[in-house]
Amino acid sequence: VQLQASGGGLVQAGGSLRLSCAASGRTFSSLGMGWFRQTPRKEREFVAAISWSGGTTYYEDSVKGRFTISRDNAKNTVFLQMNSLKPEDTAVYYCAASSSTIATLRHEYDWWGQGTQVTVSS
């Protein structure tokens, strides 16, 4: 599976960004998908996950109510809508694919994209 993330950028606190991740190489609708993020000071951490059907989602506590993960299986793409952004959301965001129905742990993901930088200024 090849994953290509896009949509990162520089935004002021309180603003919004929408990340996209296009997948190829395997039946997208059979994959659980997720977003993780990493800063130089932290391990890569879980942000959000969505089941292959889109019917189940999980979020890390600090992004609940602000971020929304979704997917379009017809377009082989997963999205992360990020609203009310805070400076502490600044990180490189990675999309990932799992052969599991849905997953929240790094080791459950089999394929990773290249990352897209999100910078939130105060």
Side-chain angles (χ1 to χ4, degrees):
V1 177
Q2 293 78 47
L3 301 172
Q4 182 70 43
S6 61
L10 173 63
V11 63
Q12 288 188 333
S16 298
L17 282 174
R18 189 192 197 202
L19 304 183
S20 300
C21 177
S24 61
R26 181 166 169 164
T27 303
F28 180 73
S29 59
S30 70
L31 300 171
M33 298 296 296
W35 289 94
F36 288 72
R37 63 187 179 187
Q38 187 170 17
T39 68
R41 297 183 180 181
K42 286 187 177 181
E43 298 272 333
R44 192 171 298 187
E45 65 176 7
F46 169 76
V47 175
I50 189 166
S51 63
W52 61 269
S53 67
T56 303
T57 57
Y58 294 139
Y59 297 94
E60 192 270 329
D61 285 346
S62 70
V63 308
K64 285 180 181 176
R66 300 189 298 123
F67 291 10
T68 302
I69 188 171
S70 62
R71 66 190 296 159
D72 184 339
N73 285 347
K75 295 183 178 180
N76 291 355
T77 304
V78 63
F79 304 98
L80 185 68
Q81 178 66 45
M82 305 185 294
N83 298 330
S84 302
L85 282 161
K86 304 176 181 179
E88 51 263 44
D89 295 318
T90 296
V92 177
Y93 283 70
Y94 296 88
C95 64
S98 173
S99 53
S100 300
T101 300
I102 188 168
T104 61
L105 301 176
R106 284 179 60 183
H107 72 264
E108 296 179 289
Y109 284 86
D110 305 289
W111 301 277
W112 294 84
Q114 86 289 2
T116 185
Q117 176 71 46
V118 171
T119 303
V120 184
S121 63
S122 57

